[in-house]
């Protein structure tokens, strides 16, 4: 990206809004002029005038770089304002920032994607890339866990991927009503070595930190090497370019070295309590 | 279904990966094929747990009835998974209902017979206990993660 956008948000227009869930919406934005193409896993800083600025992952297909898509769950002031946005609203944007999912590492190998909750959003660009070229990989398995059936993000998209012959997609919920006949249980329960070769599979995971900890422990127990597990970390951010230290995570600045890390890079930090 | 086909299915089950050929032989001899139609009960809470199942194909729900709430599903289990451990631990009663969520093909195994063999042969008993403990521990971890309700908080990922 050009230096002009590093610290100063550029005003852009909300082109469309899709209400995904009761607290979650997907906004399509015009990218900042001169903005670089983004890679799966990267994020932008979205600025709501008078309220503040937050990091949000790019959740669209990188091949369609004409639009920047972000899926936002309203949890506080800024994110809720973004979920309430309507087409024509103007917001500030800068980015793309951060590291990307190392998709190259997965070529020729089985791929396992494990997502939970809004954690599916940062993984969606990666899944689009896998779907565009499935023959370049071994078996592809996407596992997704949500709280209830009403909280399943990108339901129709998941359904479409599920129907594709080259994709294994399984969805589970932590609790479901009487009429739910799908899987019920945590996303870890869906992990089965029948789907992949533990000796070579490459894993990409994003979700609540505690979920990722359980997922990773289970995978290590099945013989998956830590160097083939990649995760996306969330830390509060300010500058997003490695100046302010706001996002520091042990020796790492999540905004620059992350958000995507290899498990081996952060293994010792994952078990630590956040201060 | 022939006994050696049942043995092959048991061998393919990840949960039984640590069992030796001899143990698989013995278990296969206690197994028969069965089919449950969608909605049919495989087990009923409080009833003697003389059987357990390996799901060949399909999906079942572990359920219980909660007063004023009705039937609550605690977990679903699918193809390749083992259903039931109550046959191995006193009081040998099913703790929950098990209902087929879709037409489900299973290997039904005679837990009572195996239990008696375990009592007579403690070395076999230890190996089976270890195997089923592995499944049990995994289910406890699952239940704990469910209780944590990880997607609920604002930090929900
Ligand atoms: C690299 C990165 C990518 C992200 N991608 C997305 C995304 O695609 N979609 C999305 O909805 N959210 C995403 N987030 C999280 C999002 O940035 C936060 O939800 C947002 O900053 C909250 O700001 P707020 O002003 O709305 O709420 P605040 O008032 O700041 O906080 C409300 C609540 O949310 C908690 N919170 C704030 N920030 C975070 C955080 N980063 N992680 C966990 N909990 C937090 C606070 O502790 C508080 O309880 C991402 C975060 C990072 C670091
Ligand atoms: S947010 Fe400023 S250093 Fe990372």
């Amino acid at each position: 990206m050009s230096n002009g956008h590093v610290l100063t948000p550029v005003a852009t227009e909300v082109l469309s809004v899709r209400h995904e869930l009761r607290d979650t919406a997907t906004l399509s934005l015009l990218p900042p002029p001169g903005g670089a193409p983004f890679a799966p896993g990267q994020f932008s800083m979205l600025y709501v005038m008078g309220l503040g600025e937050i990091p949000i992952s790019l959740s669209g297909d990188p091949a369609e770089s004409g639009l920047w898509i972000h899926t936002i769950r309203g949890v506080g002031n800024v994110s809720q304002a973004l979920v309430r946005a309507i087409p024509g609203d103007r917001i500030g944007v800068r980015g793309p920032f951060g590291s990307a999912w190392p998709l190259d590492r997965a070529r020729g190998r089985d791929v396992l994607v494990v997502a939970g909750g809004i954690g599916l959003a940062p993984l969606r660009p990666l899944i689009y890339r896998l779907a565009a070229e499935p023959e370049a990989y071994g078996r592809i398995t996407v596992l997704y866990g949500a709280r209830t059936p009403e909280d399943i993000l990108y339901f129709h998209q998941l359904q479409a991927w599920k129907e594709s012959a080259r994709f294994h997609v399984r969805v589970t919920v932590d609790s479901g009503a009487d009429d739910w006949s799908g899987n019920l249980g945590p996303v870890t329960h869906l992990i089965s070595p029948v789907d992949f070769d533990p000796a070579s599979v490459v894993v990409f995971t994003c979700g609540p930190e505690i979920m990722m900890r359980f997922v990773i422990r289970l995978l290590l127990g099945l013989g998956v090497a830590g160097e083939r597990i990649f995760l996306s970390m969330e830390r509060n951010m300010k500058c997003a370019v490695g100046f302010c230290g706001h996002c520091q995570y042990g020796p790492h600045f999540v905004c620059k070295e992350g958000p995507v890390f290899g498990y081996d890079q952060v293994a010792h930090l994952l078990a630590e309590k956040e201060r | 279904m022939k006994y050696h086909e049942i043995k092959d299915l048991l061998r393919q089950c990840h949960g039984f990966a640590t069992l030796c050929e001899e143990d698989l032989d013995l278990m296969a001899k206690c197994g028969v094929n069965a089919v449950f139609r969608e909605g049919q009960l495989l087990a009923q809470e409080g009833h003697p747990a003389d059987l357990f199942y390996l799901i060949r194909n399909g999906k079942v729900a572990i359920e219980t009835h909660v007063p004023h709430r009705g039937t609550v599903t605690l977990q679903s289990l699918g193809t390749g998974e083992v259903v039931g451990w109550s046959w191995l631990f006193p009081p040998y009663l099913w703790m929950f209902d098990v209902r087929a969520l879709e037409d489900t093909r299973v290997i039904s195994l005679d837990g009572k017979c195996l239990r008696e063999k375990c009592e007579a042969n403690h070395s076999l008993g230890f190996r089976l206990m270890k195997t089923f403990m592995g499944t049990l521990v995994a289910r406890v971890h699952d239940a704990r993660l469910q209780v944590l309700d990880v997607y609920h908080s604002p930090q929900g990922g």
Side-chain angles (χ1 to χ4, degrees), chain A residues 90-231:
Chain A
R90 290 185 77 73
I91 61 172
V93 60
R94 57 193 179 99
F97 297 119
S99 58
W101 298 108
L103 201 47
D104 278 356
R105 293 278 305 270
R107 284 193 162 261
R109 295 165 181 265
D110 289 346
V111 181
L112 176 67
V113 177
V114 188
I118 189 76
L120 185 57
L123 282 164
R124 189 167 69 160
L126 172 120
I127 303 172
Y128 278 129
R129 294 294 80 220
L130 292 168
E133 213 189 352
E135 63 288 347
Y137 307 91
R139 288 168 291 176
I140 300 169
T141 307
V142 176
L143 308 178
Y144 176 58
R147 188 169 187 242
T148 72
E150 290 72 44
D151 298 306
I152 297 174
L153 189 60
Y154 309 142
F155 182 85
H156 296 289
Q157 181 93 68
L158 286 164
Q159 208 58 34
W161 283 325
K162 200 172 180 174
E163 278 153 25
S164 120
R166 284 301 314 266
F167 252 70
H168 241 110
V169 177
R170 285 201 293 279
V171 175
T172 187
V173 296
D174 277 355
S175 69
D178 272 2
D179 56 353
W180 172 252
S181 61
N183 295 311
L184 203 143
V187 73
T188 44
H189 188 83
L190 299 180
I191 296 175
S192 161
V194 171
D195 293 323
F196 54 83
D197 176 7
S200 61
V201 66
V202 174
V203 181
F204 303 103
T205 182
C206 184
E209 215 162 295
I210 178 128
M211 178 211 95
M212 294 196 288
R213 260 164 41 204
F214 272 76
V215 164
I216 291 168
R217 249 177 250 159
L218 205 149
L219 290 167
L220 295 174
L222 290 173
V224 179
E227 59 167 22
R228 282 182 279 105
I229 301 176
F230 299 91
L231 65 158

Side-chain angles (χ1 to χ4, degrees), chain A residues 41-55:
Chain A
Q42 288 195 297
F43 67 95
S44 328
M45 294 298 285
L46 299 186
Y47 176 67
V48 180
M49 321 290 169
L51 279 181
E53 196 185 32
I54 58 171

Side-chain angles (χ1 to χ4, degrees), chain A residues 236-247 253-256:
Chain A
N236 288 339
M237 290 184 185
K238 242 184 183 151
C239 72
V241 287
F243 290 163
C244 70
H246 213 77
C247 63
F253 282 1
V254 173
C255 67
K256 272 204 101 164

